[in-house]
Amino acid sequence: MAKGVHKVYLNARKSAVMSGVKDVLSFDAKEVYLETEQGVLLIKGDELHVNRLSLEKGEVDVDGRIDTVSYTHLTL
Protein backbone atom coordinates (compact mmCIF):
# COMPACT_ATOMS: atom_id res chain seq x y z
CA MET A 1 0.00 0.00 0.00
CA ALA A 2 1.46 3.36 -1.04
CA LYS A 3 1.84 5.97 1.66
CA GLY A 4 1.08 9.65 1.17
CA VAL A 5 3.52 12.52 1.34
CA HIS A 6 4.75 13.43 4.81
CA LYS A 7 7.23 16.23 5.55
CA VAL A 8 8.70 17.65 8.75
CA TYR A 9 10.47 21.01 8.80
CA LEU A 10 12.28 21.70 12.07
CA ASN A 11 13.55 25.24 12.64
CA ALA A 12 16.21 25.72 15.35
CA ARG A 13 14.39 23.26 17.67
CA LYS A 14 11.84 26.02 18.32
CA SER A 15 9.19 25.24 15.73
CA ALA A 16 8.11 22.40 13.47
CA VAL A 17 5.85 22.49 10.43
CA MET A 18 4.44 19.15 9.32
CA SER A 19 2.41 17.92 6.37
CA GLY A 20 0.84 14.51 5.81
CA VAL A 21 -0.81 14.58 9.25
CA LYS A 22 -3.97 12.51 9.54
CA ASP A 23 -4.90 13.23 13.17
CA VAL A 24 -3.69 14.69 16.45
CA LEU A 25 -3.87 11.78 18.89
CA SER A 26 -2.96 13.75 22.02
CA PHE A 27 -0.97 16.75 23.12
CA ASP A 28 0.14 18.67 26.17
CA ALA A 29 3.03 20.99 27.04
CA LYS A 30 5.52 18.06 27.09
CA GLU A 31 4.39 15.70 24.28
CA VAL A 32 2.51 15.81 20.98
CA TYR A 33 1.38 12.57 19.30
CA LEU A 34 0.43 12.87 15.63
CA GLU A 35 -0.86 10.19 13.28
CA THR A 36 0.95 10.80 9.99
CA GLU A 37 1.12 9.14 6.58
CA GLN A 38 4.34 7.45 7.80
CA GLY A 39 3.18 6.32 11.26
CA VAL A 40 2.75 7.87 14.70
CA LEU A 41 5.08 10.82 15.27
CA LEU A 42 6.05 11.78 18.83
CA ILE A 43 7.38 15.25 19.57
CA LYS A 44 8.79 15.75 23.07
CA GLY A 45 9.93 18.96 24.66
CA ASP A 46 8.75 21.76 26.92
CA GLU A 47 6.15 24.49 26.54
CA LEU A 48 4.87 22.85 23.34
CA HIS A 49 1.91 24.45 21.60
CA VAL A 50 -0.07 23.30 18.58
CA ASN A 51 -0.37 26.65 16.81
CA ARG A 52 -1.96 25.74 13.52
CA LEU A 53 -4.00 22.66 12.78
CA SER A 54 -5.63 21.94 9.44
CA LEU A 55 -6.59 18.28 9.16
CA GLU A 56 -8.31 19.06 5.84
CA LYS A 57 -4.85 19.97 4.45
CA GLY A 58 -3.01 17.56 6.75
CA GLU A 59 -0.88 20.35 8.23
CA VAL A 60 0.21 21.05 11.80
CA ASP A 61 2.56 23.66 13.28
CA VAL A 62 4.10 23.13 16.72
CA ASP A 63 6.31 25.51 18.67
CA GLY A 64 8.12 25.45 22.01
CA ARG A 65 11.39 23.77 22.97
CA ILE A 66 11.60 20.63 20.83
CA ASP A 67 13.90 17.98 22.33
CA THR A 68 12.86 14.81 20.46
CA VAL A 69 11.17 13.96 17.18
CA SER A 70 10.62 10.23 16.71
CA TYR A 71 8.31 7.74 15.08
CA THR A 72 6.70 5.06 17.18
CA HIS A 73 4.50 2.03 16.79
CA LEU A 74 2.44 3.18 19.76
CA THR A 75 -1.32 3.23 19.25
CA LEU A 76 -3.34 5.32 21.66
Side-chain angles (χ1 to χ4, degrees):
M1 176 158 104
K3 301 236 180 198
V5 175
H6 169 59
K7 295 179 183 179
V8 177
Y9 297 98
L10 183 61
N11 183 21
R13 292 180 54 189
K14 294 181 182 175
S15 65
V17 177
M18 290 147 283
S19 65
V21 176
K22 297 165 128 183
D23 198 7
V24 176
L25 301 175
S26 71
F27 68 93
D28 61 29
K30 301 275 186 197
E31 296 181 334
V32 178
Y33 284 92
L34 304 169
E35 181 183 358
T36 76
E37 294 287 347
Q38 300 294 315
V40 176
L41 177 63
L42 168 60
I43 300 171
K44 291 176 106 175
D46 196 33
E47 298 180 12
L48 298 176
H49 303 276
V50 176
N51 280 332
R52 185 177 64 92
L53 170 62
S54 174
L55 292 179
E56 296 80 26
K57 293 181 179 181
E59 298 173 347
V60 174
D61 295 0
V62 174
D63 73 0
R65 190 190 78 220
I66 298 171
D67 294 329
T68 305
V69 177
S70 64
Y71 292 87
T72 179
H73 297 289
L74 177 69
T75 54
L76 299 178

